[in-house]
């Protein structure tokens, strides 16, 4: 099982294909990011970087997100916590 901390969004080093394999295992590889509850600031950042799917988001390095105007460490922490919650729910098989 993949450790959440090994995902690039958390500073991990998983390759893109490994991220996609992890999401496929959870049957959530095609989930759009607008289907996950994020704050308006986070949604704005994702739109500006044209990140549309969960796979793309999980493969994004934190420094790329932090390069977006008005997106700082607090926003990154909120984003990571929302992802942790979402993935934990998916691993438990809860309806998404």
């Amino acid at each position: 099982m993949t450790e959440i901390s090994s995902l690039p969004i958390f500073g991990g080093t998983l390759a893109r294909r490994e991220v996609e394999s992890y999401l496929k295992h959870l049957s959530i590889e095609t989930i759009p990011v607008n289907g996950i509850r994020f704050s308006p600031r986070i949604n704005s950042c994702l739109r500006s970087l044209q990140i549309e799917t969960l796979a793309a988001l999980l493969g994004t390095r934190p420094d790329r997100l932090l390069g977006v105007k008005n997106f700082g460490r607090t926003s990154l922490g909120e984003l990571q916590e929302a992802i942790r919650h979402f993935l934990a729910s998916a691993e438990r098989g809860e309806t998404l």
Side-chain angles (χ1 to χ4, degrees):
M1 179 54 89
T2 299
E3 291 290 324
I4 290 175
S5 62
S6 64
L7 296 168
I9 190 69
F10 297 104
T13 58
L14 277 184
R16 182 179 182 92
R17 65 179 171 66
E18 293 170 310
V19 171
E20 291 170 355
S21 175
Y22 169 69
L23 296 174
K24 189 171 188 174
H25 167 74
L26 296 176
S27 299
I28 57 173
E29 69 271 20
T30 59
I31 296 287
V33 292
N34 63 8
I36 305 171
R37 290 186 187 150
F38 294 126
S39 70
R41 182 180 308 254
I42 291 170
N43 284 325
S44 177
C45 171
L46 299 178
R47 274 193 309 275
S48 73
L49 293 174
Q50 298 179 350
I51 296 173
E52 298 179 358
T53 65
L54 184 59
L57 176 58
L58 295 180
T60 301
R61 306 287 308 167
D63 57 330
R64 183 166 179 230
L65 297 167
L66 292 169
V68 175
K69 184 178 179 180
N70 296 322
F71 190 93
R73 295 247 171 238
T74 300
S75 297
L76 179 61
E78 290 173 11
L79 173 67
Q80 291 172 330
E81 186 56 35
I83 291 170
R84 278 187 189 97
H85 177 74
F86 184 84
L87 293 177
S89 295
E91 286 177 350
R92 290 189 304 267
E94 294 177 6
T95 303
L96 304 173

